[in-house]
Structures are given as structure tokens and as C-alpha cells.
Amino acid sequence: MDRQVRVRFAPSPTGELHIGGARTALFNWLFARHEGGKFILRIEDTDVARSTQNFSRSVIEDLKWLELNWDEGPEVGGKYGPYFQSQRFNIYKDYAYRLIKEKKAYFCYCTPEELKQRRKRMQEEGKPPKYDGRCRELSFKEREKLEKEGRKPAIRFKVLEEGTTSVRDLLRGEVTFENKLLGDFIILKSDGTPTYNFANVVDDFLMKITHIIRGDDHLSNTPRQILLYQAFNFPIPIYAHIPMILGKDGTKLSKRHGATSISYYREKGYLPWAMVNYLALLGWSTPESQQFFSPKELIEKFTLERVGKSSAVFDPQKLEWMNGEYIRKIEPKKLASLFVPYLRKKGLIEGEISSQTKEMIVKIASLEQERIKVLSQITDLAEFFFKRDFKYEPKAVEKRLKKSYVPSLLKEIKKRIEKISPFTRKNLEETIRSLSKELSLSTGEVFHPLRVALTGKTKGPGLFELAEVMGKDEVLRRIEQTLKMIKKI
């Protein structure tokens, strides 16, 4: 291809960025980076009733979080803007009137009610529910009469009844549609807003888009768009309609399958690259079925030829597993900084963080790194480190602290710990194991009550490691606190 590759992601800001939309954005971004081309972001906010600035901002922030940086678009600019369709209405009007002038489009005065009735009648007669061409050949006088009735016209594109329109798709080959089934379609509504198909064609031409990579739910729109390209004598882009993402039950991914918005996973504590890596594998693969990629590797290896023709299945469990694998590769100091917003949100840390607290969070990160799958889990896993008056799990108390030997055991452990210097996990473990032998108790009979005394839980990171993070004074305080609690039960 002689001209530079230019692709676009064009979301409608009528909701949060969906998993499927993010995958489409990613495939466009990877293709542009692989080909040394440009990735453009365009916000298709022509649906004034449903589009909101909040959703636009949310989509932009989610794409930034995924690090899918765009070369042209909102906040970046570019010579083919504006990049919000709501700011381009005059452009669409000019192009629509150009088609009117060339007799390739016409004014349609039919009301929504009339169209609904006719569509219903056609369906009852077993005919395809397309526009019947009522306004196609209206005379000037007929138009004038309808306008005096207060009717505001839409603009319809004339579709030739005979022949077919073919879509050349990189994934599906040639897909052919019969023109007679398409019908004359609206390009500009009576309120002056453009339809999806029309605005797309005008913008993709003016923004010099060379390839259109999008979900296969748009395939049925493509013949209408090609007819518009032909009517304007615009070059037709290369299409690749990628299969939809399905839920585990084989139906289109939706809220009934669980969370489907990128913002949910972002807030939950998934890592951006883990999400990108997982999304890349939804419908694309390498010959050797590689699972983990660096950004450079993914860009180098991505090709549209390796995109599958069948739908991919979104598996939240695999995403969580992959996220956990990435978490284990992070340096504890960096991981600790990623935990901070979640600890703040839960109220476990407040204000400026002291160097001592920072050091403690780094140690906690090292302890929990093997168990954690998403960043937000840190608040439940590590809450006992930050709360002096932590809650004891009822089952833990019942199973580990209600045994008759436990109070005297904890008192003896307290005495032994007071003598430990320096207070390290190694010295603590040696002391507690030695005590276990002296008292003829199994390690479990000693370790389990101590764990519950320090954390309120039966499970968690290594007992001696977590005790070392707490420090000698806090360990002693917690044992004393537990002894007082046991007296009350």
C-alpha cells in the first residue's frame, strides 16, 4: 500500500467503554503501530439525547488507562478535526446537499408514524421492511404543499433497485448484498443530525482513513456505506469485521455475564497491560499460542491475518489469573504504590504517609504478592495490619481460641517474645518451635492460635513474616488484646 495506514476508533459516548469496544480500539491501535501508521480517536456523539460529556470523558480516560495513545483526536488535535461529530454538523449538511444537487438523494417528508405503519404492513405481506420510495419523485409543488403542512424533511439516499453491492473483507473475503433489500436510507434527519452511516463515510473520507477495523455487527451497515463512497467518488477503505465477543454461554457479551465495562476492571485493580494482553488474545493468536507479551512483542507480532473468524469467549477467571501473574512480576516497592489508593479508599491510611508506613506497605506487598489477583483485594487481605481493633472471625475464634490450653499458651508466648532480641522472623520462629516441643504440642496447636491472636483470621501470609512486619510491640499488644477478649467469651 502506497499511502500511510490510518485507522480510527470511533465510540459513541452513550455508556461506559465496553470490553468489546476496548478490544476493537486495541486491534486498531496494534495494526497502526505494526504498520507504522496513525491511530485516530473520533467521538461519535451525534445521538444528542443519549450522548453525554461524562461518558465521553470516561471513554477517553479508559483509553488513556489502557495506554492506547492516539495520534489525532480529542486532547491531541490534528489537521482533520474537529474530532467530535457534534462539532461537524455543518460539514454533513454540505455533503448531504451535494447529493441532493446531483440527484443522488432527495427530501423525504414521511413522518415516523407513517413509516411505522408502512413497515408493519410490509412485514404482514411478507415483504422486506424497507422504505417504499413514496417521496422519491415529488414535484416542487408537492414538496411546497407538504412543507406548508409544517413537515420538516429528512434527506434520503437513492439506492438503485437492481444489482448488488459487495464488501471486500480481510477476514471474510467478498460478502455480497442485494441492493433491492437495502432500500433508500436516511442520511440526514429532519432535525439536521446525520445518521451513523452517513457521518461515518464523510468523516472517514475527510480524515483519510485507509482501513476500517470494527465488530462484525457493523457488517450489515457496510453496503450502504460503500454506496455512499461510490456516490461521492471517494476511495473505499479496506474493511476487517472482527467477530463479536461472547459470554461463556455462547451469547453476545452483556451485563448478565457480569461486569463488561473497562471502568469496572480499572477500579477493581486490574493492571492496564494485563487487560491489554488478555484483550489481544480474544480472537487473535500467534502460531505458537503465546500467552504473555511485552508491548513491543505484541506490536511486532500482531497481524490481521491471525484474527480468527469465529467469536471469542470472554473468561473473567482467565483475565483474573493473568492479572495475578502480572502482579507477581512487579517490584514490591512499585506494587506498594499501586496499593495506596485502595488503602486510602478503605480508610486504612490517611493524610501524608510516613516513611515507616511506606516501609510497612512495601513489606506487606512482598508478603501478599503471591496470593493477590487484583489490587483491590489488598484491603481485605491486609486490613488487620492497619486496624488496631481488628475483627476476629467467629469461626476462627470457635476453632482456634476456645480450647482450654490457649490462654496459658498465649501468656507463655508473650513472655518468650518479650525476651527476643533482635525481633526477626527467624528468631521468632525458633522461639515458637522450641516452645511447641517443650509443651508437647504440635506446631499447628501453637501456630494457629497465635495467627488468630495477631490477625483475627485462620489464613494469611506466613505467620512469622507477618509478625516481623507488625513489630515486637504490636505483636505483644495484640496477644494481650486477645487474652482480654478470650476472658469475655
Side-chain angles (χ1 to χ4, degrees):
M1 184 168 208
D2 296 333
R3 52 185 177 151
Q4 185 187 46
V5 162
R6 289 175 62 84
V7 295
R8 48 73 169 176
F9 176 56
S12 297
T14 55
E16 304 280 357
L17 180 61
H18 187 272
I19 290 286
R23 197 269 306 258
T24 299
L26 172 61
F27 280 16
N28 276 279
W29 183 83
L30 287 171
F31 183 71
R33 296 292 171 259
H34 180 85
E35 298 291 337
K38 299 290 184 186
F39 174 59
I40 294 96
L41 175 62
R42 183 174 75 227
I43 305 296
E44 300 199 335
D45 55 348
T46 57
D47 187 341
V48 181
R50 294 172 62 219
S51 298
T52 70
Q53 286 187 351
N54 285 344
F55 283 138
S56 292
R57 169 57 42 204
S58 173
V59 167
I60 288 168
E61 290 305 315
D62 283 342
L63 290 172
K64 280 184 185 174
W65 176 73
L66 290 168
E67 298 177 7
L68 302 182
N69 54 308
W70 50 97
D71 304 295
E72 296 172 25
E75 300 184 1
V76 175
K79 59 182 178 179
Y80 302 110
Y83 294 93
F84 285 85
Q85 285 189 335
S86 59
Q87 297 169 18
R88 299 172 65 84
F89 281 5
N90 285 338
I91 297 171
Y92 307 132
K93 186 179 176 183
D94 288 345
Y95 276 89
Y97 274 80
R98 176 172 151 184
L99 291 177
I100 288 277
K101 191 178 177 183
E102 294 172 1
K103 295 188 171 20
K104 294 174 181 175
Y106 58 92
F107 293 106
C108 174
Y109 295 86
C110 299
T111 65
E113 292 76 22
E114 290 168 342
L115 293 170
K116 189 178 178 181
Q117 286 173 6
R118 283 183 231 152
R119 200 177 297 118
K120 187 181 176 185
R121 199 179 311 127
M122 283 178 162
Q123 285 174 325
E124 286 170 354
E125 293 170 2
K127 296 177 182 176
K130 61 174 187 172
Y131 183 62
D132 61 4
R134 186 76 52 103
C135 296
R136 214 178 211 242
E137 304 298 338
L138 289 176
S139 65
F140 177 76
K141 281 188 176 180
E142 286 172 320
R143 280 180 50 203
E144 199 172 39
K145 180 176 177 289
L146 289 165
E147 284 179 17
K148 279 180 181 175
E149 291 175 13
R151 297 194 184 213
K152 288 186 177 179
I155 296 177
R156 281 188 186 273
F157 179 75
K158 285 183 181 177
V159 177
L160 293 175
E161 281 287 305
E162 66 276 3
T164 59
T165 299
S166 292
V167 179
R168 288 183 183 175
D169 189 274
L170 289 178
L171 273 63
R172 288 169 174 72
E174 195 163 300
V175 185
T176 302
F177 297 83
E178 290 187 63
N179 290 345
K180 66 182 181 182
L181 298 177
L182 301 176
D184 296 350
F185 55 91
I186 292 174
I187 57 174
L188 206 67
K189 298 173 190 175
S190 58
D191 63 1
T193 59
T195 57
Y196 167 80
N197 286 320
F198 186 63
N200 256 246
V201 168
V202 172
D203 286 346
D204 287 340
F205 166 70
L206 292 176
M207 294 179 186
K208 301 187 183 299
I209 301 303
T210 60
H211 295 71
I212 294 176
I213 304 165
R214 59 188 179 187
D216 60 8
D217 54 329
H218 286 291
L219 184 59
S220 60
N221 290 315
T222 310
R224 293 179 176 87
Q225 292 176 3
I226 287 175
L227 288 172
L228 286 168
Y229 279 108
Q230 291 169 342
F232 282 120
N233 201 26
F234 293 163
I236 298 171
I238 296 166
Y239 287 94
H241 290 90
I242 54 182
M244 299 292 284
I245 299 174
L246 305 178
K248 282 188 169 182
D249 61 358
T251 60
K252 184 179 175 182
L253 187 65
S254 66
K255 286 180 181 177
R256 71 175 175 276
H257 298 110
T260 57
S261 68
I262 292 297
S263 60
Y264 168 84
Y265 292 95
R266 179 181 167 192
E267 287 165 19
K268 193 81 176 167
Y270 284 76
L271 302 172
W273 189 254
M275 176 61 80
V276 167
N277 192 152
Y278 179 71
L279 289 176
L281 296 172
L282 289 178
W284 173 83
S285 63
T286 61
E288 62 278 11
S289 299
Q290 184 175 340
Q291 292 286 297
F292 293 90
F293 300 84
S294 68
K296 187 182 176 188
E297 277 182 310
L298 198 50
I299 289 166
E300 282 176 357
K301 296 191 176 188
F302 183 83
T303 62
L304 288 173
E305 287 75 19
R306 294 292 307 173
V307 174
K309 293 176 184 176
S310 55
S311 296
V313 174
F314 179 68
D315 183 352
Q317 282 74 38
K318 184 175 179 182
L319 170 60
E320 188 179 78
W321 165 79
M322 183 170 274
N323 197 66
E325 292 298 306
Y326 271 107
I327 283 174
R328 279 178 270 295
K329 294 176 184 177
I330 301 173
E331 286 292 318
K333 197 171 181 180
K334 169 67 176 170
L335 185 57
S337 69
L338 295 175
F339 285 152
V340 167
Y342 297 93
L343 297 171
R344 279 194 189 282
K345 191 174 179 182
K346 191 77 181 280
L348 299 178
I349 53 173
E350 294 174 349
E352 194 175 334
I353 307 171
S354 66
S355 56
Q356 188 179 352
T357 302
K358 279 182 185 174
E359 190 181 334
M360 184 176 83
I361 298 171
V362 173
K363 288 176 180 176
I364 291 169
S366 296
L367 284 182
E368 299 289 5
Q369 193 161 16
E370 287 302 312
R371 297 200 304 146
I372 205 159
K373 291 177 181 176
V374 296
L375 298 175
S376 60
Q377 288 174 336
I378 192 62
T379 57
D380 288 333
L381 291 173
E383 187 176 27
F384 63 84
F385 281 109
F386 298 91
K387 284 197 170 182
R388 288 174 65 83
D389 297 318
F390 57 89
K391 290 180 181 177
Y392 296 86
E393 291 176 351
K395 284 182 181 178
V397 173
E398 191 67 36
K399 191 175 181 182
R400 303 300 181 192
L401 298 184
K402 280 194 172 182
K403 292 179 179 174
S404 58
Y405 75 92
V406 170
S408 58
L409 170 67
L410 291 178
K411 284 174 187 173
E412 189 58 37
I413 289 174
K414 188 169 178 277
K415 281 181 191 175
R416 302 285 176 110
I417 288 175
E418 283 169 347
K419 295 174 184 175
I420 296 175
S421 183
F423 185 75
T424 63
R425 69 184 77 176
K426 184 174 180 292
N427 289 343
L428 177 61
E429 184 172 1
E430 285 175 1
T431 299
I432 301 301
R433 286 187 183 278
S434 174
L435 177 61
S436 173
K437 284 180 183 177
E438 282 181 39
L439 299 175
S440 299
L441 293 170
S442 69
T443 53
E445 287 172 317
V446 177
F447 291 6
H448 292 314
L450 180 57
R451 175 182 289 281
V452 178
L454 298 183
T455 69
K457 300 170 182 281
T458 55
K459 293 179 182 177
L463 173 60
F464 306 109
E465 288 83 351
L466 72 85
E468 186 180 56
V469 172
M470 285 179 183
K472 182 176 178 178
D473 290 345
E474 182 61 15
V475 166
L476 291 170
R477 189 194 70 78
R478 291 187 182 212
I479 293 172
E480 185 60 38
Q481 177 180 289
T482 302
L483 284 166
K484 288 176 183 176
M485 186 272 291
I486 291 172
K487 277 184 183 179
K488 294 176 184 177
I489 57 175

